[in-house]
C-alpha cells in the first residue's frame, strides 16, 4: 500500500527572511501584509509574546521592538522563488508530488518504499534545510488527512518528523486531535460538531456515515473516511483552471490623479494577462472597479464597469486598452481614491473555437508569439524586464513596503554581498 508524506515549511515567510539574516534566529520576527497593515506570519518567539495573526502593525510594533524583534514587509518575489526551490528538491524523490500551497506539498510514495518511510522523512527534512535553509516538518501516514494530523504533531516535536500507521496508534492520536484541527473541517462545522458533543476526531470517526454526510456533506464524509485510513481524496496535483482572474491593490496614499490610476490599472491588467496565459486561456470581458476609503470621513464613491471585447484574447495591450476604457467610464474627479482593480471573466480555453471569420484564434496568431517572447524574457531575467510604458516608471501609487528586504535570489542588482579577507 502506498503512503503519504506531507512536507510543510515552518513559519515559511519568516524562515525565508532568516535564510539571509541568520542573526534573526531565536528572535521574535513578523511579516506584514500589503501596505504594512497586519501581521500575516510570525516566528515561534513572536507567538510566545502573544502576537496573533491579523494583529494591526501599530498595535504590536512597540512590543516587538522592546523584545529585540524584527519586522518585515512581504517580499513575495523572494518567497515565491524559495518555494520553487523547495518544490524542486521534493520533486527529486521517487514519489508523485502534489504541490498544495506555497509552503506545503504531498508526496505519495509507492508501497516498495514502505519499509523505510522514517529514513525518507528525515532525509527530506535534512535535504531541504541543507539546500535552501528552510526548516520543514514532515508528517507521514496512510492518507493525506492523516498525514496532515501527523504533520501537526511533527511541528511540535524535536525531530520534526512524525508517523503513524497501526490502527492502535491512529486511534490513540485521533483521541487527542480536536475536531477544529482536522484538515477540511472549518470553523463553522467544528462548532456544529461541538454542539453535538463531538470534540475529537476519534468521536467523529465512530458516527454513522449517513449522519456525517447530512451534517458535513460529501466532502466531510470523505474526510472522515480518510481519518479511518481509507484514501479517497483526489490528487491535489490536478490543476483546476480559474473561472475568473482578479488583481487589485490598495494605494499607499490617497490617489486623485487619473494618470496614476491608469498606471496602477495597467500594472494589474498585465499581471492578470500573465496568469491568463499560464493556464492557456483567453478572456472576453474585462471588468474595472474603483473605490475610496470607506473608513475615512471623506466623500465616498465606488463604481464598477465591464467592457466586452469582440473576440477572446490574452494579448496584454488589448486588455490594457479595454481596462482604460472601463476606467474612463467610472472615474470622477474630486475624490481620494484608495483602491482599483481589474477582473477577467468569461474565460475560454486555448482549444475553444471563436467561430469568427475576421478574428483568428489568439493562440494561432502573431500576438501570441509576441506575448510568449515577453513572458519568457520576464521569467528569465526578472519581472518587468519588459513591460508596457503605460504601467509607469516611478509608480508612486504602489503599495507601501517600507520594511522590504532585497530580492536576493531574483535580481542581479540585489545579490547578497559577502565580505572575504585572507587570514
Amino acid at each position: 500500500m502506498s503512503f503519504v508524506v506531507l512536507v510543510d515549511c515552518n513559519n515559511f515567510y519568516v524562515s525565508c527572511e532568516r535564510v539571509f539574516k541568520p542573526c534573526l534566529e531565536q528572535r521574535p520576527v513578523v511579516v506584514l501584509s500589503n501596505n504594512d497593515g497586519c501581521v500575516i506570519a510570525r516566528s515561534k518567539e513572536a507567538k510566545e509574546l502573544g502576537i496573533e495573526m491579523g494583529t494591526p502593525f501599530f498595535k504590536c510594533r512597540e512590543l516587538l521592538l522592546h523584545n529585540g524583534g524584527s519586522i518585515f514587509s512581504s517580499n513575495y518575489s523572494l518567497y515565491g522563488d524559495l518555494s520553487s526551490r523547495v518544490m524542486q528538491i521534493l520533486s527529486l524523490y521517487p514519489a508523485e508530488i502534489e504541490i498544495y500551497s506555497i509552503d506545503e506539498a504531498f508526496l505519495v510514495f509507492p508501497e516498495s518504499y514502505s519499509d523505510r518511510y522514517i529514513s525518507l522523512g528525515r532525509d527530506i527534512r535534512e535535504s531541504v534545510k541543507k539546500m535552501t535553509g528552510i526548516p520543514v516538518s514532515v508528517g507521514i501516514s496512510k492518507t493525506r488527512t492523516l498525514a496532515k494530523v501527523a504533520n501537526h504533531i511533527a511541528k511540535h516535536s524535536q525531530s520534526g518528523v512524525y508517523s503513524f500507521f497501526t490502527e492502535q496508534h491512529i486511534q490513540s492520536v485521533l483521541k487527542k486531535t480536536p475536531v477544529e484541527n482536522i484538515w477540511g473541517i472549518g470553523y463553522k462545522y467544528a462548532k456544529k460538531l461541538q454542539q453535538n458533543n463531538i470534540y475529537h476526531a476519534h468521536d467523529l470517526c465512530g458516527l454513522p456515515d449517513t449522519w456525517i454526510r447530512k451534517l458535513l456533506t460529501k466532502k466531510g464524509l470523505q474526510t472522515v473516511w480518510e481519518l479511518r485510513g481509507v484514501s479517497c481524496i483526489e490528487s491535489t496535483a490536478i490543476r483546476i483552471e480559474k473561472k475568473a482572474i482578479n488583481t487589485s491593490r490598495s494605494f499607499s496614499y490617497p490617489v486623485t490623479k487619473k494618470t496614476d490610476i491608469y498606471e496602477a490599472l495597467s500594472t494589474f491588467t498585465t499581471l492578470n494577462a500573465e496568469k491568463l496565459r499560464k493556464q492557456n486561456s483567453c478572456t472576453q470581458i474585462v471588468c474595472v472597479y474603483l473605490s475610496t476609503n470607506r473608513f475615512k470621513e471623506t466623500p465616498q464613491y465606488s463604481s464598477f464597469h465591464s467592457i466586452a471585447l469582440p473576440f477572446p484574447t490574452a494579448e496584454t495591450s488589448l486588455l490594457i486598452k479595454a481596462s482604460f476604457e472601463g476606467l474612463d467610464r467610472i472615474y470622477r474627479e474630486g475624490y481620494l481614491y484608495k483602491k482599483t482593480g481589474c477582473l477577467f471573466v468569461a474565460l475560454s480555453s486555448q482549444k475553444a473555437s471563436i467561430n469568427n471569420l475576421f478574428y483568428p484564434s489568439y493562440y494561432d496568431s502573431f500576438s501570441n508569439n509576441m506575448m510568449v517572447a515577453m513572458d519568457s524574457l520576464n521569467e528569465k531575467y526578472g519581472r518587468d524586464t519588459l513591460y508596457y510604458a503605460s504601467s509607469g516608471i516611478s509608480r508612486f501609487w504602489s503599495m507601501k513596503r517600507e520594511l522590504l528586504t532585497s530580492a536576493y535570489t531574483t535580481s542581479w542588482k540585489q545579490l547578497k554581498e559577502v565580505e572575504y579577507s585572507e587570514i
Side-chain angles (χ1 to χ4, degrees):
M1 182 180 69
S2 62
F3 61 96
V4 181
V5 175
L6 174 61
V7 182
D8 187 5
C9 301
N10 299 340
N11 306 317
F12 183 57
Y13 288 1
V14 169
S15 295
C16 290
E17 299 292 350
R18 282 175 167 173
V19 168
F20 299 95
K21 294 180 181 291
C23 61
L24 297 176
E25 294 290 343
Q26 310 302 320
R27 289 171 52 190
V29 181
V30 301
V31 177
L32 304 175
S33 61
N34 294 345
N35 288 310
D36 295 343
C38 302
V39 173
I40 58 170
R42 307 160 293 160
S43 66
K44 177 184 175 184
E45 296 77 13
K47 294 174 184 177
E48 290 173 351
L49 290 176
I51 297 173
E52 301 288 340
M53 284 287 283
T55 301
F57 174 37
F58 71 89
K59 287 188 176 182
C60 62
R61 182 177 181 275
E62 292 303 322
L63 176 63
L64 280 163
L65 297 179
H66 179 72
N67 287 275
S70 295
I71 307 154
F72 297 97
S73 301
S74 298
N75 191 339
Y76 297 120
S77 60
L78 176 66
Y79 308 154
D81 184 66
L82 287 178
S83 173
S84 297
R85 296 178 186 221
V86 171
M87 300 309 167
Q88 286 174 5
I89 294 167
L90 298 181
S91 67
L92 299 176
Y93 287 87
E96 177 189 348
I97 182 171
E98 306 170 6
I99 299 174
Y100 181 64
S101 66
I102 191 172
D103 62 347
E104 285 182 275
F106 291 100
L107 297 175
V108 182
F109 282 88
E111 185 179 1
S112 55
Y113 288 87
S114 60
D115 59 335
R116 50 195 175 105
Y117 55 84
I118 290 294
S119 60
L120 273 171
R122 291 171 179 166
D123 184 72
I124 289 171
R125 193 167 188 267
E126 292 169 6
S127 297
V128 173
K129 178 66 175 177
K130 181 179 179 181
M131 299 175 74
T132 67
I134 302 294
V136 300
S137 298
V138 181
I140 310 169
S141 195
K142 294 180 178 181
T143 68
R144 292 168 181 80
T145 305
L146 288 175
K148 270 278 191 177
V149 174
N151 191 277
H152 182 75
I153 299 173
K155 283 185 179 295
H156 300 89
S157 69
Q158 189 172 359
S159 67
V161 179
Y162 192 84
S163 64
F164 57 99
F165 283 92
T166 66
E167 186 63 26
Q168 183 178 0
H169 195 175
I170 291 173
Q171 295 306 317
S172 175
V173 170
L174 295 185
K175 286 179 181 178
K176 303 174 185 177
T177 303
V179 289
E180 61 266 26
N181 289 347
I182 301 172
W183 182 45
I185 302 295
Y187 173 79
K188 290 184 178 180
Y189 282 128
K191 283 294 183 183
K192 287 183 179 180
L193 290 170
Q194 290 163 359
Q195 289 169 2
N196 285 275
N197 297 319
I198 302 163
Y199 298 98
H200 294 90
H202 179 266
D203 303 327
L204 181 59
C205 290
L207 297 172
D209 287 357
T210 51
W211 190 92
I212 295 170
R213 179 160 185 163
K214 183 178 179 180
L215 184 70
L216 304 180
T217 72
K218 180 182 177 181
K219 288 187 177 180
L221 180 58
Q222 287 180 330
T223 296
V224 174
W225 273 99
E226 288 252 326
L227 291 172
R228 293 169 179 166
V230 180
S231 182
C232 58
I233 293 180
E234 294 181 359
S235 170
T236 57
I238 300 172
R239 294 187 66 88
I240 301 174
E241 290 187 354
K242 296 178 180 178
K243 297 180 180 179
I245 296 177
N246 178 57
T247 301
S248 65
R249 299 284 189 278
S250 294
F251 302 129
S252 57
Y253 67 94
V255 171
T256 57
K257 293 182 180 179
K258 191 176 183 181
T259 52
D260 288 340
I261 303 175
Y262 273 142
E263 288 186 5
L265 201 53
S266 175
T267 302
F268 302 158
T269 305
T270 299
L271 291 172
N272 269 9
E274 290 174 359
K275 297 173 188 176
L276 194 65
R277 293 190 290 271
K278 276 187 178 180
Q279 69 174 41
N280 295 318
S281 296
C282 292
T283 184
Q284 198 164 359
I285 297 180
V286 177
C287 308
V288 176
Y289 48 95
L290 184 65
S291 64
T292 54
N293 190 342
R294 60 190 178 92
F295 298 105
K296 297 288 185 179
E297 294 182 1
T298 56
Q300 298 294 310
Y301 172 77
S302 64
S303 191
F304 176 96
H305 190 78
S306 300
I307 299 294
L309 302 171
F311 54 91
T313 185
E315 184 180 347
T316 301
S317 60
L318 295 178
L319 297 170
I320 290 175
K321 183 179 179 181
S323 66
F324 283 3
E325 183 181 341
L327 178 62
D328 290 339
R329 301 284 186 90
I330 62 176
Y331 176 80
R332 299 290 183 272
E333 291 186 0
Y335 291 97
L336 300 175
Y337 292 106
K338 178 64 177 176
K339 185 176 185 179
T340 190
C342 180
L343 171 68
F344 292 170
V345 293
L347 307 189
S348 58
S349 67
Q350 175 182 353
K351 298 178 181 179
S353 174
I354 62 174
N355 298 320
N356 194 308
L357 294 174
F358 303 101
Y359 302 110
S361 171
Y362 165 78
Y363 285 96
D364 295 328
S365 67
F366 171 77
S367 298
N368 179 48
N369 298 333
M370 182 173 64
M371 291 294 100
V372 168
M374 186 173 181
D375 291 342
S376 299
L377 286 170
N378 285 332
E379 184 175 352
K380 184 175 182 179
Y381 297 107
R383 181 173 295 282
D384 288 345
T385 298
L386 283 180
Y387 64 94
Y388 286 86
S390 58
S391 297
I393 298 175
S394 56
R395 302 183 183 181
F396 297 114
W397 47 265
S398 58
M399 63 182 179
K400 180 173 69 175
R401 292 196 286 180
E402 296 178 347
L403 304 169
L404 184 67
T405 49
S406 300
Y408 301 111
T409 62
T410 56
S411 172
W412 287 104
K413 296 179 180 179
Q414 299 183 48
L415 285 176
K416 188 75 172 177
E417 295 182 3
V418 179
E419 294 183 5
Y420 169 78
S421 61
E422 295 184 2
I423 299 176

